[in-house]
């Protein structure tokens, strides 16, 4: 394996990590707002805040890690995406900033206000929508380069069926991942009332998720034939993803093994995400950036990989400690300590 | 609209973001040390007051860290959004310290979350104390790595440029660039110093407001004493920084000192202003001092600004930043020294209202000095983004929307700034130390 492949795999792994932990967070924001509107907030709010409070900063780091890493391994991404994403990128980080800081203000400072709950809910859907723009751009056709100047065609972006199907997929996936996690967490806490509610959410969001995945696939076929064909070559990966989706939905439906159901959701997205990523290669931005031609110097690339491995030795035990104390500590989840 | 030119607009937006971020970043680096020390003394002396001190500080700290995290994320992304050409070149070489910084940040974030939510879960405070060590180390390491990135921009090393392309990249050599040791140590020492005066300032304010609890006296003495240590350290490292500038960035030192002619026995100019003919007026001249500052030798020659092309010299405004920073630094050093001696020798006036107001002033002043220092370092680097290699004009984005983003981010920072103050007041106003101690006494 070349260092370019290792580099992009590491980065993809971190983006996948962000996809899972951030989805739980973003979806939770929407569900708490929805629960408040339907006067059911007393049922799930404690559950949500007990999980989120200790981990929200860690969620953020997954994101920082990805974008620092991609500029490190593939510096040209800074040039193309940096110029093209000024507006959607800035909006996404402003929303993230509002969400993160308000979240901390509220949970360390005071009671919950209506404005806050609205922002918390709305940003939960708007952030995935704006961040998914980067994935849309990567398929090519929205950015043009003339004489070293990058311009982004916003009209084309906003009228493309592909870009809207990606946005839709991002939002429903967030809600599905979050609902299945909360179902698992509520069952650990033996909180039957919350469990009933979030299980309903999970069952509801399963179907649109899989429909959105299919429409996105079809829209991609019209937008980027090469990528579509490569995805068909990897059909078995997406088949596995589909299989794990059926398992997760089935388990939630029969109301048993919620932990296993959530692991199936994680595997469902793992295969879909890595299938998508693998078929995207060698392009990072079609047709301007490929992982081979635009990678950093070998010396920098190898140094980054060494640091990454050293970092894992530090992070994995720390993350396990964090999960043991908050996620898998029965007393904590139940609200005793 | 404001800033038609994307280069000026990008500069202004970066200035705004960093000026706001470093307030929180400095607290983020500095305050964990104090939480750790208070927690440690509390365990050692079995003094409940210090444990509660650590707890109260950490409660306020969590709020500031949240804003530090989100503004740090903003600047991280803005580097690529506003300076895409710079990141394309420099990303090949400074990716390593940037990457390491995120690891340090990760480490800190994990343990801070655990520390904040486990106050009641350990019967033994010593176990809880252990969680603080990675928080303080992570905070310090973040500052360490990110300052390496900045020092690389000031004294770039570890690569060669051939026809505009970067070759022979050596990321480790780039990290250990000449400016690294002084810059990193100055940033870390002043962060601890600023945090010390911030905490001292809050405590002095409570004493002035009529709180008589012994808790405040312990807190004030502790923070002022540590403040003194780091003021001395910052001053010494500052002197090394001057010598480094003389060698590697003589134009920055010359601009900061309004030193135009290259000469030996160079005097140091303090204060004063420049009139319309660029003549220095009303400055205090300290003979030989600039030669001493630059080369530790009163007769050594110091390179003047006239040696450089006019388009490669930094703006002369940096002189004011330099003077303000040094003046405040010296004032804080003397203030903490007098307080420390006064407490040891029972001088009554260090407990007077007047002196306490000076201590209240010390916190905001320390933050001002830190801002002045960064403006000096960054504006003094103009017109370069990578000194001697790439100018800011070549580095900036070509996008036309930067000025709109300035408005959006300005609004965001106002909301976050006001939010911090409101929330911190709410946390502490209804829960003064007297109430918290009473609550702790009852079983």
């Amino acid at each position: 394996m070349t260092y370019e492949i290792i580099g992009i795999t590491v980065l993809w792994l971190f983006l996948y990590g962000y996809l899972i932990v951030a989805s739980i967070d973003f979806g939770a924001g929407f569900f708490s707002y929805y629960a408040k509107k339907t006067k059911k907030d007393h049922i799930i709010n404690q559950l949500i805040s007990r999980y989120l409070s200790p981990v929200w900063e860690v969620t953020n780091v997954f994101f920082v890690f990805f974008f620092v890493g991609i500029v490190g391994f593939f510096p040209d991404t800074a040039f193309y995406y940096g110029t093209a994403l000024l507006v959607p990128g800035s909006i996404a980080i402003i929303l993230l900033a509002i969400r993160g800081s308000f979240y901390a203000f509220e949970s360390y400072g005071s009671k919950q206000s209506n404005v806050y709950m609205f922002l918390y809910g709305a940003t939960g859907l708007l952030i995935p929508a704006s961040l998914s723009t980067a994935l849309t751009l990567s398929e090519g056709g929205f950015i043009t380069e003339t004489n070293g100047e990058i311009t982004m065609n916003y009209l084309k972006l906003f009228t493309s069926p592909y870009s809207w199907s990606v946005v839709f997929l991002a939002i429903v996936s967030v809600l599905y991942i979050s609902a299945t996690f909360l179902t698992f967490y509520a069952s650990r806490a033996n909180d039957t009332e919350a469990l009933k509610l979030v299980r309903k959410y999970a069952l509801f969001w399963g179907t649109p998720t899989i429909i959105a995945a299919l429409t996105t696939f079809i829209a991609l076929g019209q937008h980027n034939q090469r990528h579509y064909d490569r995805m068909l070559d990897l059909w078995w990966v997406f088949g596995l993803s589909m299989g794990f989706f059926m398992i997760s939905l089935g388990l939630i439906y029969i109301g048993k093994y919620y932990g296993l159901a959530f692991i199936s959701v994680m595997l469902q997205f793992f295969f879909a995400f890595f299938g998508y990523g693998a078929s995207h290669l060698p392009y990072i931005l079609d047709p301007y950036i490929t992982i081979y031609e635009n990678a950093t110097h070998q010396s920098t690339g190898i140094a980054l990989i060494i640091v990454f491995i050293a970092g894992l030795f530090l992070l994995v035990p720390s993350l396990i400690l964090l999960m043991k104390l908050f996620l898998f500590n029965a007393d904590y989840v139940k609200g005793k300590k | 609209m404001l800033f038609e030119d994307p280069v000026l607009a990008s500069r202004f937006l970066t200035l705004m973001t960093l000026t706001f971020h470093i307030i929180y970043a400095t607290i983020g680096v500095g305050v964990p040390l104090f939480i750790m020390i208070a927690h440690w003394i509390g365990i050692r002396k079995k003094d409940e007051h210090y444990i509660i001190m650590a707890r109260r500080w950490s409660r306020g700290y969590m709020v500031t860290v949240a804003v530090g995290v989100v503004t740090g994320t903003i600047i991280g992304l803005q580097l690529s959004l506003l300076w895409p050409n710079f990141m394309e070149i420099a990303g090949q070489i400074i990716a390593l310290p940037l990457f390491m910084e995120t690891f340090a940040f990760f480490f800190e974030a994990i343990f801070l979350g655990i520390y904040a939510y486990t106050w009641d879960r350990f019967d033994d405070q010593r176990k809880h104390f252990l969680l603080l060590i990675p928080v303080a180390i992570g905070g310090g390491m973040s500052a360490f790595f990110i300052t390496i990135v900045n020092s690389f921009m000031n004294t770039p090393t570890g690569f060669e440029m051939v026809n505009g392309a970067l070759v022979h990249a050596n990321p480790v050599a780039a990290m250990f660039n000449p400016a690294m040791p002084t810059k990193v140590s100055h940033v870390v020492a002043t962060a601890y110093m600023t945090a010390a005066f911030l905490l001292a300032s809050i405590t002095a304010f409570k004493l002035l407001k009529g709180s008589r609890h012994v808790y405040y006296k312990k807190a004030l003495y502790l923070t002022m004493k540590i403040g003194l240590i780091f003021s001395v350290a910052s001053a010494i490292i500052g002197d090394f920084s001057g010598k480094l500038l003389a060698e590697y960035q003589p134009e920055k030192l010359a601009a900061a000192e309004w030193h135009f002619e290259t000469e030996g026995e160079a005097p140091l100019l303090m204060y004063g202003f420049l009139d319309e003919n660029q003549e220095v007026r009303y400055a205090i001249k300290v003979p030989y001092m600039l030669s001493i500052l630059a080369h530790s030798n009163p007769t050594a020659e110091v390179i003047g600004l006239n040696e450089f092309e006019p388009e490669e010299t930094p703006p002369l405004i940096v002189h004011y930043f330099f003077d303000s920073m040094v003046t405040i630094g010296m004032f804080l050093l003397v203030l903490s020294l007098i307080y420390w001696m006064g407490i040891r020798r029972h001088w009554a006036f260090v407990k007077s209202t007047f002196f306490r107001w000076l201590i209240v002033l010390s916190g905001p002043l320390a933050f001002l000095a830190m801002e002045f220092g960064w403006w000096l370092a960054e504006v003094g680097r103009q017109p370069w983004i990578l000194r001697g290699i790439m100018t800011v004009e070549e580095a900036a984005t070509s996008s036309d929307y930067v000025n709109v983003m300035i408005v959006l981010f300005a609004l965001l920072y106002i909301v976050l700034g006001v939010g911090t103050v409101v929330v911190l007041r709410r946390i502490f106003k209804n829960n003064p130390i007297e109430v918290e101690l009473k609550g702790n006494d009852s079983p």
Side-chain angles (χ1 to χ4, degrees):
Chain A
M1 252 209 291
T2 56
Y3 75 94
E4 295 97 334
I5 291 283
I6 298 176
I8 193 71
T9 310
V10 163
L11 293 172
W12 210 238
L13 210 57
F14 263 82
L15 198 58
Y16 168 74
Y18 184 64
L19 177 100
I20 297 294
V21 289
S23 291
I24 295 173
D25 181 16
F26 295 148
F30 176 79
F31 290 133
S32 3
Y33 181 66
Y34 179 74
K36 195 181 174 77
K37 281 279 127 187
T38 50
K39 306 243 179 324
K40 287 179 180 151
D41 45 328
H42 58 282
I43 302 177
I44 57 167
N45 271 5
Q46 211 213 329
L47 189 78
I48 289 174
S49 72
R50 278 191 90 76
Y51 165 73
L52 288 180
S53 302
V55 302
W56 80 269
E57 280 175 76
V58 176
T59 307
N60 211 52
V61 187
F62 273 95
F63 179 53
V64 177
F65 196 100
F66 173 75
F67 71 68
V68 168
I70 195 156
V71 172
F73 275 109
F74 308 100
D76 289 343
T77 53
F79 178 62
Y80 287 93
Y81 284 113
T83 315
L85 284 174
L86 177 72
V87 177
S90 295
I91 291 172
I93 47 178
I94 287 174
L95 292 173
L96 272 172
I98 291 177
R99 182 189 183 77
S101 53
F102 274 38
Y103 177 70
F105 287 174
E106 292 289 329
S107 60
Y108 309 136
S110 72
K111 61 200 179 304
Q112 313 217 310
S113 70
N114 275 322
V115 184
Y116 161 73
M117 287 304 288
F118 172 74
L119 282 173
Y120 190 52
T123 51
L125 299 186
L126 289 172
I127 295 169
S130 60
L131 287 181
S132 64
T133 320
L135 282 182
T136 312
L137 291 186
S138 75
E139 296 297 340
F142 302 104
I143 299 174
T144 41
E145 184 180 16
T146 35
N147 302 328
E149 290 251 334
I150 305 293
T151 37
M152 179 151 141
N153 194 335
Y154 281 103
L155 184 71
K156 213 168 163 188
L157 183 73
F158 285 119
T159 52
S160 152
Y162 175 65
S163 85
W164 286 109
S165 55
V166 169
V167 167
F168 185 64
L169 177 62
I171 291 174
V172 290
S173 312
V174 158
L175 294 174
Y176 184 58
I177 294 172
S178 188
T180 50
F181 175 79
L182 291 174
T183 306
F184 155 68
Y185 202 59
S187 79
R188 286 225 34 129
N190 289 336
D191 189 340
T192 31
E193 269 200 82
L195 178 63
K196 246 165 68 188
L197 189 65
V198 287
R199 181 174 163 265
K200 240 192 305 184
Y201 294 159
L203 287 174
F204 178 82
W205 288 106
T207 323
T209 303
I210 217 70
I211 292 173
L214 288 173
T215 46
T216 309
F217 187 58
I218 294 162
L220 177 69
Q222 286 157 358
H223 186 83
N224 187 334
Q225 185 67 39
R226 184 201 59 83
H227 191 178
Y228 181 78
D229 293 342
R230 292 259 303 153
M231 274 173 99
L232 285 182
D233 294 344
L234 288 171
W235 62 270
W236 57 275
V237 179
F238 298 99
L240 276 172
S241 171
M242 193 67 165
F244 281 111
F245 168 74
M246 305 300 269
I247 294 174
S248 70
L249 203 62
L251 287 175
I252 293 169
Y253 185 75
I254 60 168
K256 273 186 195 160
Y257 311 116
Y258 292 117
L260 206 61
F262 183 66
I263 291 173
S264 301
V265 170
M266 284 177 71
L267 288 171
Q268 173 200 340
F269 280 90
F270 180 86
F271 284 111
F273 196 66
F274 272 79
Y276 169 82
S279 53
H280 203 299
L281 291 181
Y283 292 103
I284 295 179
L285 172 60
D286 205 343
Y288 300 108
I289 307 177
T290 72
I291 58 164
Y292 298 110
E293 283 163 43
N294 304 81
T296 185
H297 286 271
Q298 193 172 3
S299 49
T300 307
I302 288 170
L304 286 176
I305 291 170
I306 292 171
V307 167
F308 172 75
I309 292 168
L312 276 188
F313 277 99
L314 203 68
L315 287 186
V316 172
S318 320
L319 279 173
I320 290 173
L321 180 66
L322 185 78
M323 291 202 276
K324 265 180 102 164
L325 284 171
F326 296 107
L327 196 54
F328 299 113
N329 185 300
D331 281 345
Y332 177 78
V333 180
K334 286 171 193 159
K336 282 190 194 140
K337 264 186 167 179
Chain B
M1 207 170 118
L2 193 75
F3 300 122
E4 285 297 332
D5 176 19
V7 177
L8 266 184
S10 297
R11 281 181 63 189
F12 186 78
L13 181 49
T14 309
L15 170 83
M16 197 167 76
T17 302
L18 278 174
T19 300
F20 188 71
H21 173 65
I22 57 175
I23 297 171
Y24 294 90
T26 304
I27 298 174
V29 173
V31 171
L33 180 78
F34 293 86
I35 302 175
M36 200 167 106
I37 292 172
H39 202 141
W40 176 243
I41 297 177
I43 294 169
R44 284 293 301 271
K45 292 190 175 172
K46 298 197 169 48
D47 185 337
E48 186 198 27
H49 289 160
Y50 285 99
I51 298 277
I52 288 188
M53 205 181 287
R55 188 167 187 164
R56 286 173 73 87
W57 283 343
S58 69
R59 218 175 281 152
Y61 178 70
M62 289 298 287
V63 173
T64 58
V65 160
V67 182
V69 167
V70 296
T71 51
T73 309
I74 289 174
I75 191 65
L77 255 181
Q78 269 183 357
L79 270 181
S80 296
L81 296 177
L82 298 176
W83 309 98
N85 304 303
F86 161 69
M87 284 306 280
E88 191 189 10
I89 293 287
Q92 299 171 55
I93 193 143
I94 53 168
L96 190 63
L98 269 176
F99 207 59
M100 289 163 113
E101 200 255 342
T102 57
F103 270 114
F105 173 37
F106 216 146
F107 198 49
E108 185 189 0
I110 290 173
F111 283 94
L112 186 62
I114 300 177
Y115 180 76
Y117 288 90
T118 52
W119 274 100
D120 305 318
R121 284 174 75 175
F122 296 107
D123 295 326
D124 187 348
Q125 274 298 333
R126 276 176 301 184
K127 280 189 196 157
H128 193 219
F129 170 78
L130 289 179
L131 294 168
L132 265 180
I133 297 172
V135 176
I137 292 177
M141 291 312 271
S142 288
F144 178 77
F145 289 122
I146 206 67
T147 312
I148 286 181
V149 174
N150 181 269
S151 56
F152 170 79
M153 292 160 80
N154 280 282
T155 54
T157 43
F159 64 97
E160 283 168 53
M161 293 298 281
V162 178
N163 301 328
L166 191 152
V167 294
H168 298 135
N170 182 346
V172 179
M175 280 177 63
F176 292 93
N177 60 73
M180 188 275 263
T182 46
K183 251 194 192 286
V184 166
S185 48
H186 197 60
V187 164
V188 174
T190 50
Y192 292 140
M193 172 182 167
T194 308
F197 289 109
L198 166 74
L199 297 171
S201 156
I202 297 168
T203 314
F205 187 73
K206 291 300 281 185
L207 283 168
L208 280 169
K209 284 283 161 186
S211 303
R212 284 288 160 270
H213 204 281
V214 65
Y215 167 90
Y216 291 108
K217 287 163 193 164
K218 288 175 182 170
L220 191 59
Y221 184 64
L222 175 69
T223 48
M224 287 297 272
K225 193 164 78 179
I226 303 173
L228 172 64
I229 296 168
F230 284 107
S231 306
V232 173
S234 305
I236 294 170
I237 301 161
D239 179 64
F240 290 140
S241 308
K243 292 175 176 43
L244 181 102
L245 283 185
E247 192 177 344
Y248 290 95
Q249 280 180 303
E251 75 280 12
K252 191 192 271 183
L253 183 70
E257 279 308 318
W258 291 342
H259 182 67
F260 297 98
E261 299 294 332
T262 300
E263 58 185 3
E265 303 180 6
L268 184 81
L269 297 184
M270 284 161 69
Y271 313 111
F273 69 93
L274 278 183
D275 64 14
E276 56 273 25
N277 305 321
Q278 298 284 300
E279 297 283 333
V280 180
R281 296 284 181 97
Y282 308 114
I284 304 169
K285 246 186 198 179
V286 189
Y288 308 114
M289 202 54 210
L290 186 58
S291 293
I292 295 174
L293 179 72
H295 303 288
S296 308
N297 173 0
T299 57
E301 192 169 81
V302 181
I303 299 168
L305 262 189
N306 294 347
E307 303 289 318
F308 299 92
E309 300 289 327
E311 63 272 12
E312 291 186 5
T313 55
L316 293 173
I317 189 176
V318 294
H319 175 75
Y320 302 114
F321 300 155
F322 185 63
D323 275 355
S324 311
M325 173 186 78
V326 173
T327 309
I328 295 173
M330 285 302 148
F331 169 76
L332 294 177
L333 197 159
V334 172
L335 184 79
S336 49
L337 181 67
I338 293 175
Y339 180 83
W340 177 70
M341 288 174 67
I343 290 290
R344 294 193 62 123
R345 300 187 179 192
H346 307 287
W347 296 342
F349 78 92
V350 296
K351 293 182 176 173
S352 67
T353 308
F354 172 72
F355 200 85
R356 279 183 179 158
W357 273 115
L358 286 182
I359 299 177
V360 172
L361 212 59
S362 72
L365 279 177
F367 277 96
L368 261 181
M370 185 214 23
E371 298 282 4
F372 283 128
W374 273 115
W375 295 336
L376 163 69
E378 297 305 283
V379 179
R381 178 154 56 92
Q382 294 302 316
W384 303 107
I385 193 163
L386 272 176
R387 187 200 173 262
I389 294 166
M390 186 183 235
T391 64
V392 292
E393 257 107 53
E394 295 160 346
T397 180
S398 52
S399 176
D400 294 325
Y401 301 103
V402 185
N403 46 21
V404 188
M405 297 302 125
I406 290 180
V407 179
L408 289 181
F409 280 104
L411 288 174
L412 174 71
Y413 300 149
I414 292 170
V415 170
L416 294 184
V418 173
T420 315
V421 175
V422 170
V423 170
L424 284 178
R425 273 184 57 103
R426 211 185 282 158
I427 293 178
F428 291 105
K429 205 177 170 198
N430 300 322
N431 186 23
I433 182 68
E434 291 81 359
V435 173
E436 190 159 346
L437 274 173
K438 241 175 239 150
N440 230 45
D441 290 340
S442 59

